[in-house]
Amino acid sequence: MKRVITYGTYDLFHDGHRRLLERARALGDYLLVGVTTDNYDDSRGKLNVQDTLMRRIESVRESGLADEIFIEETDGQKITDVQKYDVDTFAIGSDWTGKFDYLQDYCRVVYLERTPGVSSTQLRAHSHGIVRLGISGSGRIADRFILESKFVSGVNVESVYSSQLASAQSFCNRHELARSTSNYDEFLESVDAVYIASPHEFHFEQACTALRNGKHVLCEKPLTMSFQDSEELHNTAEKHGVVLLEAIKTAYSPGFIRMIAIARSGVIGTIRDVSATFTKIALAGSREVVSEFGGSARELASYPLLAIVKLLGTDLVGLEIDTILDPTNRLDLFTKMHLRYNSAFATATVALGAKAEGNLVVAGTLGSLYVPSPWWKTEQFETRFEDPAHNKKYFFKFDGDGLRYELAEFVSLINSKETTTTFKLSRKESLFIQSVLDAGNVALLSAPNTTESIHVIASIPAPFT
Ligand code: CTP
């Protein structure tokens, strides 16, 4: 019996899939079909797969063309599968020509002509339309965002807004966008959604105007400069039935999500301590160290606080801060935020003018979990135990600089019929992060102006006492 094998995602099962399976089957007597898992798709940059894995398997089964269906989870699996299933022929569409020649050492490799004019990508765009996105801001993060947006299907960046028209125009030309403007209302008219990457102090007003006009908003962190403003944004989004997502990219990346799930699953016991560090040597004169809205906590603490709220929740019982201020402008340069919970502690260490090892350590009653630097781009972590024989390492892919994950989540929420919110970063978690930043800021404002290190006790943020 001649055995043939083929692989695919089979999202929104279409005629191209059916014809490929028919021809693959005709190459032998028995057809094995590998269907990719969501995680594997994520790692390959297929970020907007619409059907669930079960649905996709079901579609292949319903075609009646597969004799056996299995799951493809990892790179390199094909070599093992070909040997395990004693395969004679590997078949795949012509869009992959040459890519699987390495399998010729194990079986015959056939590239079948792809059916023109149909693809899951096209169908996804068709069923929802393409989200027309505008970017507010034309700085470095906006540049990176455009590059990353190419990896997310169902969205097209069309325009850019900047209060400086020349800067908007040069950004627009650089990225071949359709429009640039320095008029915010005009900017909003031509888009369905906006990504706000302007300086922090403009987030609130820009996001609020967009939400009130029924536009979905993906907004850089920190969402606003105060808890009240952030709460108002969330309420406005809810009222208008649109998506508001805070762009803390780590929250949406597969490795981080998995790490949180493992830490909270009891594998390392009850969590007693979380220590998360994020530091950066900022360029002299850069906005981060000059603007009154900068400083290490506002610029960087969203990441450690994200890990802390995900691991320990929002029931805070104490908040204290150690910091070293820049005496010329009172911006915090090296800051440690100590969060106390009923049965656990957490420390967020951030700095703009110093370098520490940027790792994340979670201490539990049975073991620890260690994520090496840069933990916010989670590619690997390890659970560690008293007996090192039980240690276990986990590996993931973190593609590009990760902005694609937040954008993919944003687009899928926009397209979702059921919900405009996500478990990956809930409203409550986003507001918790904001309120800790706020409380810290208020406490620091009352601190003496000195070059010596300062210790302040912050009031526990009101909604979380
Ligand atoms: N295929 C095909 N003709 C098409 C579309 C897909 O022959 N018009 C083949 C692919 O070459 C592959 C298999 O069907 O061998 C499964 O492809 P998959 O990646 O699931 O489908 P696409 O429609 O290409 O998906 P996407 O647009 O997400 O890349």
Side-chain angles (χ1 to χ4, degrees):
M1 184 165 66
K2 292 257 176 266
R3 298 162 78 87
V4 183
I5 200 164
T6 190
Y7 295 82
T9 303
Y10 306 106
D11 188 28
L12 304 172
F13 196 86
H14 55 66
D15 221 41
H17 295 144
R18 180 183 314 283
R19 297 205 42 216
L20 189 287
L21 293 181
E22 279 166 1
R23 285 171 293 150
R25 194 164 207 275
L27 294 171
D29 314 301
Y30 191 86
L31 181 64
L32 294 129
V33 181
V35 180
T36 52
T37 63
D38 295 341
N39 267 346
Y40 185 52
D41 281 323
D42 276 0
S43 72
R44 293 188 311 149
K46 281 208 181 188
L47 292 171
N48 279 344
V49 172
Q50 213 167 293
D51 287 342
T52 61
L53 175 61
M54 291 309 285
R55 178 65 247 163
R56 294 185 282 115
I57 291 173
E58 203 41 31
S59 303
V60 173
R61 200 187 62 75
E62 281 167 2
S63 76
L65 294 162
D67 294 293
E68 195 169 331
I69 301 171
F70 61 95
I71 284 172
E72 183 184 25
E73 277 183 295
T74 52
D75 286 331
Q77 185 181 320
K78 292 187 177 75
I79 291 185
T80 334
D81 289 342
V82 163
Q83 296 173 93
K84 185 168 89 184
Y85 294 115
D86 194 17
V87 164
D88 300 283
T89 304
F90 168 89
I92 196 94
S94 52
D95 43 329
W96 295 99
T97 300
K99 292 262 169 46
F100 295 106
D101 287 356
Y102 68 87
L103 289 171
Q104 278 163 355
D105 290 345
Y106 305 90
C107 67
R108 182 163 76 113
V109 174
V110 176
Y111 297 101
L112 296 167
E113 202 49 49
R114 201 177 146 88
T115 307
V118 59
S119 77
S120 304
T121 307
Q122 262 177 25
L123 292 175
R124 282 191 289 263
H126 223 72
S127 61
H128 297 299
I130 301 271
V131 174
R132 297 170 307 156
L133 189 83
I135 298 191
S136 165
S138 50
R140 269 178 305 147
I141 183 110
D143 274 315
R144 275 163 37 205
F145 187 85
I146 296 252
L147 301 177
E148 287 278 305
S149 73
K150 315 269 188 253
F151 294 92
V152 181
S153 59
V155 61
N156 188 36
V157 180
E158 305 212 335
S159 58
V160 58
Y161 160 84
S162 167
S163 57
Q164 312 293 317
L165 186 59
S167 158
Q169 279 166 343
S170 99
F171 187 90
C172 179
N173 295 337
R174 194 158 67 242
H175 296 290
E176 300 177 342
L177 307 184
R179 274 176 302 280
S180 57
T181 176
S182 57
N183 179 324
Y184 196 68
D185 294 325
E186 188 184 301
F187 164 71
L188 288 181
E189 272 168 27
S190 61
V191 296
D192 309 307
V194 294
Y195 167 57
I196 297 179
S198 51
H200 302 166
E201 61 272 31
F202 301 116
H203 289 184
F204 172 70
E205 205 190 313
Q206 293 182 354
C208 205
T209 311
L211 294 168
R212 284 202 185 116
N213 281 281
K215 312 295 177 184
H216 307 282
V217 171
L218 173 65
C219 182
E220 263 310 320
K221 65 197 159 18
L223 201 50
T224 71
M225 295 292 99
S226 79
F227 175 81
Q228 281 73 20
D229 284 356
S230 285
E231 195 176 37
E232 189 176 331
L233 286 189
H234 281 286
N235 290 341
T236 310
E238 221 170 271
K239 186 170 154 204
H240 292 269
V242 287
V243 178
L244 169 66
L245 203 61
E246 186 175 5
I248 308 181
K249 62 176 186 243
T250 309
Y252 311 100
S253 72
F256 180 78
I257 293 169
R258 190 73 198 287
M259 182 276 291
I260 297 295
I262 291 201
R264 296 202 65 156
S265 72
V267 171
I268 59 164
T270 306
I271 299 174
R272 291 286 188 234
D273 189 62
V274 177
S275 170
T277 303
F278 192 132
T279 63
K280 182 175 170 185
I281 303 284
L283 296 174
S286 69
R287 185 183 288 273
E288 302 149 298
V289 288
V290 172
S291 159
E292 63 172 301
F293 303 101
S296 58
R298 270 186 171 148
E299 289 292 338
L300 307 175
S302 302
Y303 290 109
L305 291 173
L306 166 76
I308 292 168
V309 73
K310 283 286 177 190
L311 290 163
L312 292 171
T314 57
D315 293 332
L316 205 57
V317 296
L319 175 62
E320 299 188 18
I321 295 166
D322 287 306
T323 193
I324 297 166
L325 295 178
D326 178 341
T328 61
N329 57 13
R330 293 181 56 83
L331 283 182
D332 59 292
L333 295 178
F334 195 110
T335 304
K336 291 173 95 67
M337 306 178 104
H338 307 281
L339 290 82
R340 197 156 52 79
Y341 289 80
N342 261 329
S343 59
F345 305 107
T347 312
T349 303
V350 287
L352 274 174
K355 204 69 209 152
E357 182 64 11
N359 55 25
L360 169 69
V361 186
V362 187
T365 51
L366 298 176
S368 66
L369 189 150
Y370 176 74
V371 196
S373 177
W375 65 265
W376 53 93
K377 297 182 177 184
T378 323
E379 276 188 313
Q380 54 168 307
F381 59 88
E382 184 174 7
T383 45
R384 296 174 169 178
F385 301 93
E386 203 80 66
D387 176 357
H390 294 132
N391 290 3
K392 188 168 171 186
K393 287 193 166 100
Y394 299 79
F395 296 93
F396 297 87
K397 260 187 106 180
F398 184 92
D399 284 314
D401 72 359
L403 300 178
R404 64 190 67 180
Y405 300 114
E406 65 192 26
L407 180 57
E409 184 69 9
F410 185 53
V411 172
S412 88
L413 285 171
I414 291 172
N415 289 334
S416 159
K417 302 272 176 300
E418 279 106 51
T419 178
T420 54
T421 56
T422 172
F423 76 93
K424 294 177 184 171
L425 181 59
S426 69
R427 169 193 164 117
K428 190 173 184 191
E429 289 163 344
S430 162
L431 285 176
F432 175 85
I433 293 171
Q434 181 75 59
S435 63
V436 172
L437 292 177
D438 256 31
N441 202 46
V442 169
L444 287 178
L445 286 176
S446 63
N449 197 17
T450 165
T451 51
E452 288 165 21
S453 63
I454 294 165
H455 178 85
V456 289
I457 298 178
S459 317
I460 301 169
F464 299 104
T465 48

